Amino acid sequence: MKKIRFMDVSFRDGFQSCYGARVKTADFVPALEAAVAAGTDNFEIGGGARFQSLYFYCQEDAFDMMDTARRIVGPDINLQTLSRGANVVGLVSQSRDIIDLHARMFKKHGITTIRNFDALMDVRNIAYSGQCIHDAGVKHQVVIALMGLPPGLKESYCHTPQFYLDKLREILDAGIPFDSVAFKDASGVTTPVVVYESIKGARKMLPEGTVIEFHTHDTAGMGVACNFAAIEGGADIIDLAMAPVSGGTAEVDILTMWHRLRGTDYTLDIDHEKYIEVEALFMNQMEKYYMPPEAKEVNPLIPFSPMPGGALTANTQMMRDNNSLHLFPEVIRNMREVVAKGGFGSSVTPVSQFYFQQAFANTVQGPWKKITDSYGKMVLGYFGRTPAEPDPEVVRLASEQLGLQSTTEDVHDINDRNPELGIAYNRGLLEKAGLPTTEENIFIAATCGAKGIAFLKGDKPLGIRYKAEVEAEAAAKAAPKQQSTQKASTAKPAKSGMSNYIITVDGKSYNVSVVEGTGAVQSINPASPVASAPQVQSKGEGSPVEAALPGTVMAIEVEVGDTVKEGDDVVIIEAMKMESPVKAPKSGKVVSIDVAVGDTVANGDVLMYIA
């Protein structure tokens, strides 16, 4: 009987998939201690979104979190993190010196293995980062990034077993040093057949004894089947998680997979009773955190619009924060076209975020009216080569709107020339802010930008969503609706045999006529404005500057009295990890500013007036 090893990804990908990566270290430490005592010797502990999120939302330092984890597990247990090739742990690709600094800093803070992938499967992006990881004395796990394509697309090569094996051959031919190979499906949409054929083929290509690991999510309900296909194809290790961060958008539960292997030629070889206790403890520790319902859902539509489990709840959390969650279904529907026209890069961060941002823009601003910065740079080649050629019309629009030409140049060369990237530039930012110029701080500034600098200066807003707070918010929102419903139910029925009601839905009033005794709605018409609640008129004069998308005001670039030219940036709005400038619609003087930094705005809200 073959013993199948597993990596417990609860404390990185589980958190990212279920809580938007927003979890305090002290709250999961008891579960980590218990898992070690139960026999787990392999953990994913950081990287990916669990680096930036600690600074953005959790008021914590990611390097301190890694140090704490190493102290708890001892010197011998494997602690693994996730890196995005040239992007390391952010959405922006970096210069060579920052990529090298990433490997050295993670080694310094107790990391054993770095899983290293490129969403576009441009082997150039894996080669340099992989060499840096190896040179730093960290084990390098090189990745083949998987994704199932939505049906009906005219694409017969990308994301087939042959495509993946060709990429593996490129990695071998490039002489990239690695210690193991991972096949990683962040969306959970690759079919079991493709998983089996890809890993079976890889086993024949790789040197004898090479460890193969498989990673998938259960977002589309295929996690158990794909894990078993990987095992039968020759995988040595599979990624699993513990409740409450297992199943749905996260990975298959350890106990579920143990049960699946009973009576087969494979085993996880665990004491299941111990893991039942560990999961109970872990669930108790996480009880205070709000878990959005979509985190635990198996969504049959995901294969048609691949959205990674690790990005789905991070995005829905941000949409909740920006009061735009109602747009989520339409954004997901728009993902399919965005993926196809973008060149079929794997839907995994950062590319999944580029896809989501563009689908979001297509939803709120109209199809292809606005090419987002990152998606546009991707189709133009500034993150590397996409698996297939992007749509020519989208490339043309991106070039026009971003003022850039297409390129096939190595992204490292492009970034090394960028004066606003690299160690020297970020050291300068720290010096200007009066902050220590440690290597850790340089890396934080490079990968977390202005928010990282703010964190180091002591500006640490808490962005965790606790269950009690969410329930209180929901109760507060429900109270006015309940009052409206009570008022509507006391309305006297008309003599005509119909009951006429005025109801309020999302702040809008409607006249509703219902036939007595049937419940059938005869008509729904906008109600006349209620005299006691007149609309508040803005005191602004001149031309309004309106938000083109819902989000949070990150920066205000002007002051009252400033003179601006048409097209100047006046406000920066952040939505979906995307900073979008709002431009002046005309030249003139700023006569009023109606928002403040940190305000949440809706599409069409007035930000300021220019006369």
Side-chain angles (χ1 to χ4, degrees), residues 12-13 16 44 46-49 81-91 102 114-127 129-130 133 140-146 171 182-186 215 308 346-352 383:
R12 200 288 298 176
D13 209 1
Q16 186 171 331
E44 186 181 43
T81 58
L82 183 68
S83 176
R84 302 159 179 163
N87 289 60
V88 289
V89 292
L91 299 184
H102 160 253
I114 295 177
R115 174 178 287 174
N116 182 39
F117 74 92
D118 181 64
L120 300 180
M121 283 307 300
D122 186 337
V123 174
R124 295 175 299 176
N125 292 344
I126 303 173
S129 51
I133 292 166
H140 178 216
Q141 184 176 83
V142 71
V143 173
I144 303 296
L146 310 179
I171 291 169
F183 285 78
K184 173 181 170 66
D185 180 8
H215 170 100
S346 296
S347 188
V348 57
T349 308
V351 167
S352 60
F383 289 99

Side-chain angles (χ1 to χ4, degrees), residues 559-574:
E559 297 179 356
V560 173
D562 285 355
T563 299
V564 298
K565 295 181 180 179
E566 181 180 349
D568 285 353
D569 292 350
V570 292
V571 176
I572 305 297
I573 293 177
E574 182 189 55

Side-chain angles (χ1 to χ4, degrees), residues 42-249:
N42 190 10
F43 296 95
E44 186 181 43
I45 202 65
R50 273 292 288 173
F51 188 85
Q52 289 182 323
S53 66
L54 293 180
Y55 301 100
F56 292 0
Y57 308 115
C58 300
Q59 302 175 327
E60 293 187 1
D61 188 310
F63 291 116
D64 290 344
M65 182 274 294
M66 287 185 259
D67 291 339
T68 298
R70 176 52 69 192
R71 184 172 63 253
I72 288 170
V73 305
D76 300 325
I77 284 177
N78 183 60
L79 289 182
Q80 186 161 313
T81 58
L82 183 68
S83 176
R84 302 159 179 163
N87 289 60
V88 289
V89 292
L91 299 184
V92 177
S93 61
Q94 299 288 344
S95 54
R96 286 183 172 91
D97 56 356
I98 295 295
I99 295 170
D100 179 64
L101 181 61
H102 160 253
R104 292 190 288 108
M105 288 300 95
F106 278 49
K107 167 67 175 178
K108 176 181 175 181
H109 290 278
I111 298 308
T112 316
T113 305
I114 295 177
R115 174 178 287 174
N116 182 39
F117 74 92
D118 181 64
L120 300 180
M121 283 307 300
D122 186 337
V123 174
R124 295 175 299 176
N125 292 344
I126 303 173
Y128 184 75
S129 51
Q131 188 66 54
C132 291
I133 292 166
H134 174 78
D135 292 345
V138 181
K139 292 182 178 180
H140 178 216
Q141 184 176 83
V142 71
V143 173
I144 303 296
L146 310 179
M147 180 181 72
L149 291 182
L153 298 178
K154 297 179 180 178
E155 176 57 45
S156 58
Y157 174 62
C158 291
H159 300 289
T160 64
Q162 189 59 56
F163 171 77
Y164 298 134
L165 295 177
D166 287 347
K167 287 298 178 181
L168 180 58
R169 173 52 60 193
E170 283 187 49
I171 291 169
L172 294 171
D173 291 346
I176 301 171
F178 62 85
D179 299 274
S180 58
V181 176
F183 285 78
K184 173 181 170 66
D185 180 8
S187 311
V189 295
T190 305
T191 63
V193 171
V194 171
V195 170
Y196 173 80
E197 294 294 341
S198 299
I199 293 180
K200 181 180 178 181
R203 178 57 71 200
K204 295 178 181 178
M205 291 174 59
L206 291 166
E208 186 175 354
T210 301
V211 172
I212 295 178
E213 188 160 352
F214 178 67
H215 170 100
T216 193
H217 292 245
D218 208 24
T219 320
M222 297 193 294
V224 172
C226 285
N227 278 337
F228 194 76
I231 291 169
E232 290 202 302
D236 305 288
I237 306 175
I238 55 176
D239 289 359
L240 301 172
M242 297 188 295
V245 293
S246 58
T249 60

Side-chain angles (χ1 to χ4, degrees), residues 17 25 89 105 171 254 321 339 476 585 597:
S17 299
T25 301
V89 292
M105 288 300 95
I171 291 169
I254 295 169
D321 293 344
V339 171
V597 172

Side-chain angles (χ1 to χ4, degrees), residues 18 74 86 118 123 180 233 249 260 272 293 310 325 391 422 425 516 564 596:
C18 295
D118 181 64
V123 174
S180 58
T249 60
R260 170 64 182 88
H272 59 277
L325 185 60
D391 181 82
Y425 173 74
E516 286 186 356
V564 298

